[in-house]
């Protein structure tokens, strides 16, 4: 992609024009080009370009596009430091002001570069940072498949890969995109190995707390398989996660009574935890029993008699359980419930169901062939 510049002149003349323009705006810079070559000129121009960021948006974009057009013709080894310097200017300059303009300038740079250029990593990270400050992450590509492709294209090392995923995660959380953020965090934690899992302690802690806090996240068993989360085994947070994965409400209540200060320190709300654990407990009951009496629900879910029906209605709204209320016989009739965990037992049940269907279809086919030999 080409980036528009001032006019069609030589690179040296273009650098000279930029120097004169920036100097006229009050910057301390010589109008004469450096003897060190274009990359030295650009280093000095970028260092002094702050003064033009106060101008009209179109004028600023024109100046910056001229700088970018010169950057893109440099050899790759000379680009990186200069691009990092320009990105730092655009991220920090008048931070919080004119974010749309700064995003546009960074976007022009990002899309003007070769798709596999490693330094695009720096520009993308800068884009994410600016977008986060103005709740504009929706305008930045954050699709996990695309991010994975870039990580490969840019040949990022482990540290940069983790930095990028962490930055995308934090941006999505800040912009209230909890589902997308959770997927990115799982990707981040899944990228650690046995050798470096201990380094992911903060990320694992943040992932678990965010998942527990999210009112729309109910299936958590996949987190237990992540190496950084397994590294936390034996700690209170891991115990709490295990309760939310497979235990009943009573287990959470017992845990809370013994660790109230710990729950509070995590920033978790006890009443919200109770609500989520009630639903999770009900999901487990609905998998095991197709009919559940009101009395059983009151006991297992710690509900008053007049709270049962409202609870069932709220549970159905989550689409984790499908059921109906039989008020006459004071029971709930379950048609389907999502499994809280999906392990070997659930795979076996699925295999048995598919095998049964296969057998039934074979029987139907045989019956049809008996009635009509040509079928």
């Amino acid at each position: 992609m080409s980036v528009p510049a001032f006019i069609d002149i030589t690179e040296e003349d273009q650098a000279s024009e930029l120097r004169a323009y920036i100097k006229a705006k009050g910057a301390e810079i010589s109008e004469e080009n450096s003897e060190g070559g274009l990359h030295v000129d650009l280093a000095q121009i970028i260092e002094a370009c702050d003064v033009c960021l106060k101008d009209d948006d179109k004028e600023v974009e024109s100046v910056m596009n001229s700088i970018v057009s010169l950057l893109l013709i440099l050899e790759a080894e000379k680009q990186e430091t200069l691009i990092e310097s320009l990105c730092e200017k655009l991220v920090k300059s008048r931070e919080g002001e004119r974010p749309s303009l700064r995003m546009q300038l960074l976007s022009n740079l990002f899309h003007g570069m070769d798709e596999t250029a490693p330094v695009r990593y720096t520009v993308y990270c800068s884009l994410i940072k600016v977008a986060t400050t103005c709740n504009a992450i929706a305008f930045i590509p954050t699709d996990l498949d695309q991010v994975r492709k870039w990580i490969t294209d840019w040949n990022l090392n482990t540290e940069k890969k983790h930095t990028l995923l962490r930055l995308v995660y934090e941006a999505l959380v800040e912009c209230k995109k909890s589902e997308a953020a959770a997927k990115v965090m799982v990707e981040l934690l899944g990228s650690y190995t046995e050798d470096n899992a201990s380094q992911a302690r903060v990320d694992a802690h943040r992932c678990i707390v965010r998942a527990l806090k999210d009112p729309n996240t109910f299936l958590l068993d996949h987190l237990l398989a992540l190496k950084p989360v397994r590294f936390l085994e034996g700690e209170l947070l891991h115990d709490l996660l295990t309760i939310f994965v497979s235990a009943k409400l009573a287990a959470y209540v017992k845990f809370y009574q013994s660790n109230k200060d710990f729950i509070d320190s995590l920033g978790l709300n006890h009443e919200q935890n109770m609500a989520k654990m009630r639903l999770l407990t009900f999901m487990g009951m609905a998998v095991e029993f197709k009919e559940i009496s009101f009395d059983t629900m009151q006991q297992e879910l710690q509900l008053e008699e007049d709270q049962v029906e409202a609870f069932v209605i709220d549970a159905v709204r989550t689409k984790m359980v499908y059921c109906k209320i039989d008020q006459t016989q004071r029971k709930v009739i379950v048609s389907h419930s999502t499994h809280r965990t999906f392990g070997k037992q659930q795979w076996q049940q699925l295999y048995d169901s598919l095998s049964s269907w296969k057998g039934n279809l074979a029987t139907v086919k045989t019956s049809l062939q008996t009635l009509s030999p040509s079928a």
Side-chain angles (χ1 to χ4, degrees):
M1 174 181 174
S2 61
V3 178
F6 277 153
I7 50 178
D8 187 16
I9 56 178
T10 67
E11 290 81 11
E12 291 76 13
D13 288 343
Q14 192 175 336
S16 181
E17 290 281 346
L18 282 168
R19 283 177 172 275
Y21 178 85
I22 293 173
K23 183 176 179 63
K25 291 294 181 180
E28 296 183 5
I29 187 172
S30 171
E31 291 188 34
E32 299 296 325
N33 285 346
S34 167
E35 294 181 359
L38 182 59
H39 71 284
V40 177
D41 287 325
L42 280 172
Q44 294 173 357
I45 289 168
I46 291 171
E47 179 63 29
C49 72
D50 304 68
V51 293
C52 70
L53 292 175
K54 303 173 184 177
D55 292 340
D56 173 79
D57 284 10
K58 289 184 178 179
E59 194 168 349
V60 174
E61 187 171 359
S62 181
V63 173
M64 287 298 175
N65 282 344
S66 185
I67 295 174
V68 169
S69 69
L70 292 175
L71 274 173
L72 297 179
I73 65 175
L74 288 176
E75 300 90 338
E77 61 271 15
K78 294 180 179 178
Q79 281 184 353
E80 187 169 355
T81 301
L82 296 175
I83 288 176
E84 288 175 353
S85 178
L86 181 59
C87 287
E88 185 177 359
K89 290 275 186 184
L90 293 174
V91 170
K92 294 184 178 180
S93 179
R94 305 178 73 189
E95 193 164 0
E97 295 183 25
R98 302 171 80 181
S100 297
L101 172 62
R102 291 186 287 135
M103 283 180 61
Q104 183 61 52
L105 297 175
L106 286 165
S107 182
N108 290 346
L109 176 57
F110 183 76
H111 293 290
M113 302 172 69
D114 184 83
E115 290 188 0
T116 59
V119 75
R120 281 186 105 203
Y121 158 80
T122 300
V123 185
Y124 181 70
C125 288
S126 299
L127 263 172
I128 293 290
K129 291 174 183 176
V130 175
T132 303
T133 65
C134 59
N135 197 28
I137 197 66
F139 300 103
I140 307 298
T142 55
D143 177 74
L144 194 51
D145 288 336
Q146 179 62 73
V147 172
R148 288 192 191 108
K149 183 177 183 302
W150 281 334
I151 288 173
T152 301
D153 289 345
W154 302 337
N155 194 28
L156 299 185
N157 60 31
T158 299
E159 182 180 356
K160 286 187 174 180
K161 177 181 179 180
H162 290 169
T163 298
L164 175 58
L165 290 172
R166 195 175 295 115
L167 194 61
V168 173
Y169 166 78
E170 290 171 350
L172 291 170
V173 168
E174 186 70 23
C175 296
K176 313 300 182 186
K177 295 182 176 293
S178 58
E179 184 175 349
K183 291 180 180 178
V184 173
M185 178 53 79
V186 170
E187 179 79 9
L188 171 59
L189 294 180
S191 68
Y192 283 90
T193 65
E194 294 287 354
D195 294 332
N196 61 12
S198 61
Q199 301 171 17
R201 183 182 186 84
V202 173
D203 289 325
H205 184 281
R206 185 181 303 172
C207 177
I208 294 171
V209 173
R210 176 65 58 181
L212 296 181
K213 187 180 292 186
D214 186 353
N216 299 314
T217 299
F218 304 107
L219 305 181
L220 305 164
D221 62 318
H222 62 288
L223 298 181
L224 291 176
L226 297 171
K227 293 181 179 67
V229 174
R230 293 209 308 264
F231 193 82
L232 299 177
E233 286 182 16
E235 298 186 18
L236 286 175
L237 184 58
H238 192 279
D239 294 342
L240 180 61
L241 174 61
T242 303
I243 289 172
F244 274 80
V245 167
S246 58
K248 294 184 177 182
L249 177 64
Y252 168 74
V253 172
K254 182 178 179 180
F255 181 92
Y256 177 74
Q257 290 172 345
S258 301
N259 302 283
K260 181 179 182 301
D261 291 342
F262 175 71
I263 294 289
D264 293 340
S265 71
L266 296 177
L268 296 175
N269 181 283
H270 174 58
E271 292 304 319
Q272 291 177 356
N273 291 347
M274 289 287 290
K276 179 179 281 194
M277 279 303 304
R278 281 195 179 96
L279 175 62
L280 292 172
T281 302
F282 181 53
M283 287 166 57
M285 294 166 63
V287 167
E288 190 173 358
F289 306 105
K290 293 306 177 185
E291 295 185 0
I292 308 171
S293 69
F294 283 11
D295 291 340
T296 300
M297 292 185 63
Q298 287 176 235
Q299 179 180 349
E300 293 290 332
L301 307 181
Q302 300 183 19
L303 294 169
E304 298 296 331
E305 184 176 358
D306 59 356
Q307 296 176 319
V308 174
E309 291 188 19
F311 168 80
V312 173
I313 293 171
D314 288 340
V316 170
R317 285 193 181 123
T318 67
K319 298 183 179 180
M320 304 304 289
V321 180
Y322 292 87
C323 60
K324 61 181 180 180
I325 297 172
D326 185 335
Q327 293 176 318
T328 304
Q329 299 190 43
R330 299 183 72 253
K331 65 182 180 181
V332 172
I333 301 173
V334 179
S335 56
H336 171 74
S337 178
T338 302
H339 287 267
R340 292 173 65 182
T341 60
F342 207 91
K344 184 176 180 180
Q345 180 181 354
Q346 286 71 41
W347 281 113
Q348 184 62 49
Q349 290 176 354
L350 179 60
Y351 174 80
D352 293 342
S353 295
L354 292 174
S355 296
S356 177
W357 291 348
K358 182 179 179 180
N360 291 339
L361 287 172
T363 301
V364 171
K365 182 179 180 181
T366 301
S367 299
L368 289 173
Q369 289 174 334
T370 302
L371 293 173
S372 176
S374 61

